[in-house]
Structure formats: C-alpha cells, structure tokens
Amino acid sequence: RAKEEGKNLFRFYDPAMNPNAEETMEIKLGLRRALEKNEFTVHYQPQIEARTGKLIGLEALIRWEHPVRGLIPPNHFIPIAEETGLILPIGEKVLSIVCAQSIAWQRAGIPPIRIAVNLSARQFAQEDLAERINGILERHGLDPKYIELEITENTAMKDDMQPALNELRERGFTIAIDDFGTQYSSLNYLKRLPVDKIKIDRSFVSGIARDRKDEAIIVAMLQIANRLNLTVIAEGVETNEQLAFLRDNNCQEIQGFIFSKPQPAERIEPLLTKALIS
Ligand code: C2E
Ligand code: MG
Ligand code: MG
Ligand code: MG
C-alpha cells in the first residue's frame, strides 16, 4: 500500500522539471503560506463538442502565483501537497474559487457552463468527502450539475470508492476518469463504476497519425465507452490531424492547445459571452 502510494506521488513528475531537494523543501514551507495569503489561482481550459465546435465545458487547473518565482505549474507542487496532506485544504480552495467564479459569471448574465475540477486520491480517502464538497457548493449557491469531478483510474478503482461516487452522482455531480488508459484500467471496474465520462490521455492522442497502436487503442476505447454509454473527451489535442481522427471516430469532446491553453478567468470570459449569441 505504501509502495503504491509512493508511486502515485511521483506520477506527475516530469523528469525534465523534477524539482531538486532544496526546491522541494522550499515548496513544502511555501505551500502553507500560499494558502494563508491566497496565492493559489485557477486557470480554465475550454472543452469543445467535436461535432459542432461549441464550447461545452471548462477544466479548472490550479496555478501558484509565487511572489518571487512567478507562476508555478501544478506538477511542481501538487505531489508535495499530497505528501504533506495540504492537498486537502488546497483542493477545497480550488473548488471554492471555481464555485465563486461560476456564480460571478451567472450574476453577469453569462449562461452557466460545466466546470471540471481535479480531485486527488487523498481527498477521496476522506469519509465525509461528498458532504464536504456538497457543503462548498451550498455555501456558494451553485447547482452540482455545473461541476464535474475528475479522478484518476487508481483512485476510481479502489473498491471502497463506489459509495462516495454514488453519493456524489446522486447529488447531481458528474464524474470523469482522468488520464484514462495510463494506469490499471480494469474493464471489469469500468463496468461497475458509477462514472459518466472518460478522458483519453494525451499520451495516446499524441500518437495519432504517428503510431498505429495508439490509434487502435483509441478506437477500442471509443467503442467500449460508446457501448457502456460513457462520454469520451480526448485531452491534449494539438493538431488538425488528431482532431480529424477523433471526429471521424465519434469522440464527442475535445480539449487541447489546438483550441486553447488554460487561461485566467478574464481571458475565458469573451469565449463564454460569444457562446451566448452563436
Ligand atoms: P490533468 O488533469 O490531466 O490536466 C491536463 C494537463 O494537460 C494540464 O496541465 C493542461 O494544461 C495540459 N494540457 C492541456 N491540453 C494540452 C495540449 O494540447 N498539449 C499539452 N502538451 N498539454 C496540454 P497542468 O495545468 O500543468 O496540470 C497538470 C496536472 O496537475 C493535471 O493533469 C492534474 O493532474 C494536476 N492538477 C491540476 N490542477 C489540480 C487541482 O486543482 N487539484 C489536483 N488534485 N490536481 C490538479
Ligand atoms: Mg484533469
Ligand atoms: Mg488528464
Ligand atoms: Mg495528465
């Protein structure tokens, strides 16, 4: 168990940007201050309906606005936040920022859009997770149907996860499995799990038009998901070739740099307002 969790900890590390020991210590010390000083912010990446090109959702992605180092990406500090347990208050902070933003947009007359929020395995280990999450939405007055919760395969496939997932879905949240296909994807679990969507990982998408095996795996994933009535979103779509392949194979939703990088709320707003008139 400890070994497995150790592996999870390093799952996000890109060797090219793996912080050294000194940086790790600095991050550890900085995270708590960052929470107190509200240095965390959220960027939003558009999710597009493949058939129509319409904006149908956003993914919320945390950023740390460090007073000295500038904007720090999540791969640098989320694993450390998980290790220290600070991911619990940080995760709730993200959800709270997202709820406040969604309500602010609604008050400005912008039609509400679904926003996906990433949850860590540590958050799911809390028995009262569903209540905590629901409490945050209630405090902001946001309907859970506007929030999608993203969890990774390893988190989703733990046996004791089903009650929490069921409870969240009953309350109106949708559930997506992130980075699908990169970990232990047991088809048996996929059959039983109460989820709505799978997110095909960028590592497969990047093989489109380059690697026949990646293409075959994507086609198979789309077929299985379709038969199981699951929505599929492909992440990390960067090229027209990738987009065409995914469209041709009936992948419903697309997310990636081809449409937009994650951006601060004020840069996303014009896109939302555009959706109002089109
Ligand atoms: P993820 O949830 O799989 O998010 C997708 C990542 O892929 C994001 O990186 C996004 O910027 C990047 N991406 C999107 N489209 C493209 C593309 O076309 N090409 C390329 N090369 N990359 C693309 P980001 O924002 O650096 O986040 C990295 C990871 O950090 C996330 O992966 C997620 O696992 C974690 N993370 C982010 N925000 C949170 C959070 O609030 N809570 C938790 N627990 N984890 C988070
Ligand atoms: Mg995600
Ligand atoms: Mg992902
Ligand atoms: Mg990822």
Side-chain angles (χ1 to χ4, degrees):
R1 182 69 178 269
K3 208 173 177 187
E4 193 190 305
E5 277 171 9
K7 252 192 247 158
N8 285 344
L9 271 175
F10 294 99
R11 196 171 63 78
F12 298 123
Y13 279 143
D14 176 340
M17 38 187 238
N18 195 346
N20 61 36
E22 201 182 319
E23 278 174 334
T24 303
M25 184 54 76
E26 193 202 318
I27 289 168
K28 258 186 200 170
L29 295 172
L31 282 173
R32 193 173 292 278
R33 189 209 58 218
L35 259 174
E36 282 162 10
K37 302 242 154 125
N38 284 322
E39 291 170 8
F40 294 113
T41 183
V42 172
H43 284 188
Y44 298 87
Q45 187 177 32
Q47 299 179 328
I48 306 303
E49 187 176 48
R51 203 172 41 83
T52 60
K54 268 178 61 182
L55 180 67
I56 43 154
L58 299 170
E59 179 175 5
L61 295 153
I62 192 173
R63 302 288 182 264
W64 180 1
E65 284 180 320
H66 193 283
V68 180
R69 290 170 166 265
L71 210 62
I72 306 181
N75 291 1
H76 271 172
F77 65 87
I78 289 288
I80 297 166
E82 292 188 324
E83 192 186 344
T84 57
L86 277 173
I87 191 63
L88 300 181
I90 291 173
E92 295 194 356
K93 183 80 195 176
V94 168
L95 185 57
S96 190
I97 293 173
V98 167
C99 289
Q101 185 62 64
S102 178
I103 292 294
W105 277 332
Q106 284 184 45
R107 292 217 173 109
I110 294 165
I113 189 155
R114 183 194 67 217
I115 305 180
V117 175
N118 293 280
L119 292 186
S120 118
R122 288 283 297 254
Q123 289 176 278
F124 262 93
Q126 306 173 104
E127 270 197 357
D128 56 350
L129 177 78
E131 280 158 56
R132 299 183 79 96
I133 289 183
N134 212 50
I136 294 170
L137 269 86
E138 269 172 7
R139 275 200 294 286
H140 287 90
L142 183 66
D143 189 325
K145 73 179 175 200
Y146 298 126
I147 297 292
E148 186 158 88
L149 301 170
E150 292 193 6
I151 58 178
T152 60
E153 282 167 298
N154 282 351
T155 310
M157 287 171 193
K158 288 191 183 131
D159 265 334
D160 49 4
M161 214 76 296
Q162 281 203 40
L165 291 179
N166 274 323
E167 197 180 335
L168 287 164
R169 271 181 108 212
E170 272 160 23
R171 293 184 191 220
F173 294 91
T174 53
I175 313 283
I177 301 190
D178 206 352
D179 305 339
F180 188 77
T182 58
Q183 300 171 50
Y184 310 103
S185 339
S186 151
L187 296 177
N188 180 44
Y189 272 100
L190 200 53
K191 181 176 84 178
R192 290 186 311 184
L193 272 176
V195 299
D196 303 281
K197 183 189 279 191
I198 60 173
K199 300 192 76 172
I200 296 182
D201 191 67
R202 176 158 59 93
S203 58
F204 300 106
V205 173
S206 65
I208 293 172
R210 289 195 295 118
D211 185 338
R212 278 279 187 59
K213 287 180 182 169
D214 282 327
E215 292 184 349
I217 290 169
I218 290 174
V219 170
M221 282 177 177
L222 284 163
Q223 282 171 350
I224 290 170
N226 185 277
R227 292 294 186 92
L228 294 174
N229 260 324
L230 298 169
T231 304
V232 180
I233 182 163
E235 51 178 358
V237 181
E238 294 181 347
T239 70
N240 283 319
E241 276 168 316
Q242 292 165 356
L243 179 62
F245 180 90
L246 291 160
R247 256 199 200 132
D248 289 347
N249 286 283
N250 299 316
C251 180
Q252 293 104 322
E253 300 179 8
I254 303 292
Q255 179 180 344
F257 294 173
I258 191 171
F259 193 77
S260 168
K261 291 192 171 179
Q263 300 186 71
E266 57 276 16
R267 299 266 293 278
I268 290 294
E269 213 169 289
L271 301 176
L272 300 175
T273 326
K274 225 192 277 166
L276 248 177
I277 40 175
S278 71

